[in-house]
Amino acid sequence: MKLKHIALAALMATASAASAEVKIALDGAPDPKVSGTYNWVMGFSEVLDKAGMKVREMPRDSVGNEAEKFDQLSTGLLELSLSDVRAIAQVDPFIYGLRLPYMFDDAAHMQRALADGKIFDRVNEAVAGQDVMLLAIVPIGPSSGIITTNAAVRTPDDMADLRMRALDDAQIAMYKAWGTTGTVVPWGEVPAGLQTGVIDGYLNSPFVPISFGQTDFVKNFSDSRAIIPIRAVIASKMWYDGLSDTERSAVTDAIAAGNAATQAWLDVVSSTSLEALEAKGVTVQRLTDEERGAFRERSKQVYESGLMPSDDVKVWTDLSDATR
């Protein structure tokens, strides 16, 4: 199948990049009210459209799952995707530093660290052999909180009897540090898991239960602000290498416009997102700095858990401190 993709991509490469549409696989509903990533797409697309590069939005899952999207990116059948960071981490685990709890104060702090640390240069050197490129890291929404069906969480001890959905080993390690249990559950299975009691909750941005229609059974949100929820904008290297200098300049400007659009949206919704949850009947636990500090203190165990090489952890913590 991959050979077939390569053959098709070779034929596609003969066409002018400017004359072809730029397909981007979305990660969720195209709703700028509740999606940081879609605000990024809108800002990005506006600049490319003006440069004569038409962007075509591909609905979530319409071009396949994460592995299938990565395969299409690497063979040039798909130009861009808003993907899970794991797609990059499977090649270069260094990027998992973005998921260390309480690494960044907010999304703006994260973006400063990415820029000052030249993280994109480092990562793209590591993933070049896969024929993909990391163009941007985009916040899904405001900082993640603890989303549960029944339990109201204000302290780590409140989670002792809960089973939480985890994205990956990094979140399992975080939940363990908090004194609770994590289990990896695919996103598509989360609603059923919450409603049947297989899991009691998960960690994500406050807009996620709203955008995915979960507020009928999600009833609590604790504003722990543990992690910036993010997606990776991954591009086909075959597509990017085929661009003219003018087109690459337009892509660079479009990335900056996308980043600015998402940050402007975050500046508005970081507080109103909690009110939006309450309007949907979800109880919001607004933690004090002292209460949030208890989660932060326990999270230090994750940094020393062996989840990442200690040298990589130091790179991220030094960078975070330098850009705070």
Side-chain angles (χ1 to χ4, degrees):
M1 182 61 73
K2 189 162 185 176
L3 288 175
K4 182 180 178 181
H5 284 177
I6 293 171
L8 289 170
L11 290 173
M12 292 171 63
T14 62
S16 165
S19 65
E21 63 187 5
V22 179
K23 299 183 295 299
I24 181 166
L26 302 183
D27 65 319
D31 186 349
K33 293 181 180 179
V34 298
S35 172
T37 50
Y38 194 67
N39 276 274
W40 190 93
V41 169
M42 291 175 64
F44 178 85
S45 299
E46 182 178 1
V47 173
L48 283 198
D49 284 347
K50 289 179 180 177
M53 301 171 71
K54 181 65 178 176
V55 176
R56 179 184 174 191
E57 298 171 8
M58 309 300 291
R60 177 184 172 92
D61 296 332
S62 64
V63 292
N65 60 28
E66 292 288 345
E68 291 166 332
K69 286 190 295 184
F70 193 86
D71 186 38
Q72 292 176 62
L73 288 165
S74 68
T75 54
L77 292 176
L78 179 65
E79 288 77 28
L80 294 163
S81 174
L82 286 154
S83 292
D84 194 312
V85 172
R86 283 179 292 183
I88 293 294
Q90 67 186 356
V91 183
D92 184 17
F94 174 77
I95 199 68
Y96 267 148
L98 291 169
R99 283 192 174 163
L100 289 172
Y102 297 103
M103 177 60 69
F104 304 109
D105 297 339
D106 51 30
H109 180 202
M110 178 188 72
Q111 298 291 7
R112 290 194 301 272
L114 288 169
D116 290 5
K118 301 186 184 302
I119 299 300
F120 294 102
D121 291 343
R122 173 172 177 160
V123 170
N124 283 328
E125 182 178 352
V127 303
Q130 300 295 317
D131 292 320
V132 298
M133 298 175 60
L134 178 65
L135 296 188
I137 294 293
V138 183
I140 295 170
S143 296
S144 290
I146 302 162
I147 299 163
T148 57
T149 50
N150 296 308
V153 175
R154 298 196 72 92
T155 72
D157 290 342
D158 292 335
M159 302 182 69
D161 297 327
L162 303 184
R163 179 183 293 273
M164 302 293 293
R165 179 259 181 169
L167 274 172
D168 48 37
D169 289 345
Q171 284 198 355
I172 287 177
M174 180 187 67
Y175 289 135
K176 182 178 180 181
W178 289 356
T180 190
T181 302
T183 182
V184 175
V185 177
W187 179 249
E189 298 175 16
V190 166
L194 291 168
Q195 292 178 86
T196 59
V198 172
I199 52 174
D200 298 297
Y202 62 94
L203 194 79
N204 218 317
S205 178
F207 275 131
V208 168
I210 297 174
S211 60
F212 284 90
Q214 298 174 354
T215 53
D216 285 344
F217 47 88
V218 163
K219 292 303 177 185
N220 289 278
F221 180 90
S222 176
D223 189 23
S224 58
R225 305 180 197 173
I227 296 172
I228 311 297
I230 54 175
R231 300 293 280 182
V233 180
I234 307 176
S236 165
K237 194 171 186 298
M238 182 180 296
W239 166 74
Y240 187 84
D241 287 348
L243 298 175
S244 67
D245 289 344
T246 299
E247 290 161 355
R248 288 188 189 182
S249 179
V251 170
T252 298
D253 291 344
I255 293 168
N259 290 343
T262 299
Q263 187 58 54
W265 175 78
L266 283 172
D267 290 342
V268 172
V269 304
S270 289
S271 59
T272 60
S273 60
L274 302 182
E275 296 168 3
L277 272 177
E278 289 174 323
K280 291 289 186 177
V282 177
T283 300
V284 174
Q285 306 294 330
R286 290 174 169 81
L287 304 188
T288 66
D289 290 341
E290 182 179 357
E291 287 172 323
R292 200 171 289 114
F295 288 96
R296 184 189 300 270
E297 185 63 28
R298 290 204 188 185
S299 296
K300 291 179 181 178
Q301 298 173 38
V302 180
Y303 290 46
E304 302 167 357
S305 66
L307 184 69
M308 293 179 63
S310 58
D311 289 348
D312 286 355
V313 173
K314 188 175 188 307
V315 169
W316 282 107
T317 53
D318 287 350
L319 188 55
S320 175
D321 290 342
T323 54
R324 181 165 276 117

